[in-house]
Every structure is written in C-alpha cells, then in structure tokens.
C-alpha cells in the first residue's frame, strides 16, 4: 500500500510539472516589471548601467525604458519579444568564466529564477511602464 501511494504522488507531481512546463502562455503568470524585473535591475545592473556609469560600460543605461530601448554600443541590448537576441538576457546566461558575462564575474551571478524572469519579461514584450524609472 505504501508503494502505491508513492507512485500516485510521483504521478501527480509529474502531471503537475508537465502541465506547468507546457502550459500555454496565457496560463502562466505574467512578469510584473515593478515587482519582478525592477529589483533585478536595481540590485545587479544599475550600479554599472545607470546614468553615472553607462559611459564606461558600453553606453548602456538601464535606468529608464527609453534609454534601455535605445541601447548602448549594441543595437541588440533589448529587443522586446526576442529574449534570445537581447544581450540583457544573453549575457546573464553565459558561463561564469566568459568575459562578457553579466553581472561581471567579480559580482554575484543572477540565479536561474532571475534569468528566467528576464527571459520571460523580454519574450513577453519587455513591458516597462513609462512612469517607472
């Protein structure tokens, strides 16, 4: 009886994981810029990619939506709807020993959850309210 219960729980867990992993986009929770994305940018990006230091760091200023969309030295820093081509995401998932990894290797790397938030936010269109800086 104990083994049967374990199988049922395992089967239930697999079904839950399967339904979450393959749920249609409309079924998953949307990423909220203020709650989910802004804290990541503030804690990990703005010390280098803010108004004071952007000129030293690829001219990329992530302090406002307009500046983030403008990008820095690259035209592909932020491409709403395409996380895989957006350097803001791509550079966060590079191997830690890659010289382009962000945040730089002397800082704490983003967690898998944080990189997934960035990926989903960009893939969903990088919504960033104009009034939020």
């Amino acid at each position: 009886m104990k083994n049967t219960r374990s199988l049922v729980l395992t089967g239930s867990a697999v079904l839950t994981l399967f339904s979450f992993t393959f749920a249609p986009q409309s079924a998953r929770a949307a990423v909220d810029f203020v709650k989910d994305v802004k804290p990541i940018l503030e804690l990990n990006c703005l010390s280098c990619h803010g108004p004071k230091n952007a000129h030293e760091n690829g001219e990329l200023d992530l302090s406002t939506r307009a500046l983030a969309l403008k990008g820095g030295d690259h035209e592909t820093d932020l491409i709403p709807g395409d996380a895989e081509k957006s350097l803001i995401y791509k550079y966060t998932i590079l191997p830690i020993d890659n010289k382009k990894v962000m945040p730089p290797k002397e800082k704490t790397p983003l967690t898998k959850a944080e990189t997934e938030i960035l990926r989903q936010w960009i893939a969903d269109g990088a919504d960033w309210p104009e009034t939020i800086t």
Side-chain angles (χ1 to χ4, degrees):
M1 197 63 134
K2 187 175 182 180
N3 288 339
T4 305
R5 181 177 171 102
S6 295
L7 290 174
V8 169
L9 290 175
T10 302
S12 175
V14 168
L15 286 174
T16 301
L17 178 60
F18 181 81
S19 64
F20 176 76
T21 303
F22 297 102
Q25 286 190 352
S26 60
R28 65 179 157 82
V31 174
D32 179 88
F33 178 81
V34 173
K35 185 179 115 222
D36 302 319
V37 178
K38 188 176 180 190
I40 295 170
L41 297 178
E42 288 175 340
L43 292 172
N44 300 285
C45 308
L46 288 176
S47 63
C48 296
H49 296 288
K52 292 180 183 178
N53 298 317
H55 65 282
E56 298 172 359
N57 296 292
E59 297 296 329
L60 178 60
D61 187 339
L62 297 174
S63 61
T64 68
R65 180 181 195 278
L67 290 170
L69 289 172
K70 177 183 171 192
D73 291 345
H74 305 98
E75 294 179 8
T76 58
D77 288 316
L78 178 59
I79 304 170
D82 197 342
E84 302 305 320
K85 290 185 181 173
S86 296
L87 298 180
I88 291 172
Y89 169 69
K90 280 179 61 170
Y91 284 4
T92 66
I93 60 169
L94 291 172
I96 196 70
D97 60 343
N98 188 300
K99 68 179 186 171
K100 293 182 178 183
V101 69
M102 289 291 143
K105 62 183 174 184
E106 58 272 2
K107 297 190 177 205
T108 304
L110 297 184
T111 65
K112 177 69 175 159
E114 290 170 324
T115 61
E116 179 55 24
I117 287 169
L118 289 179
R119 188 204 61 74
Q120 183 180 340
W121 171 67
I122 296 168
D124 290 347
D127 181 45
W128 185 331
E130 290 286 342
T131 58
I132 306 286
T133 58

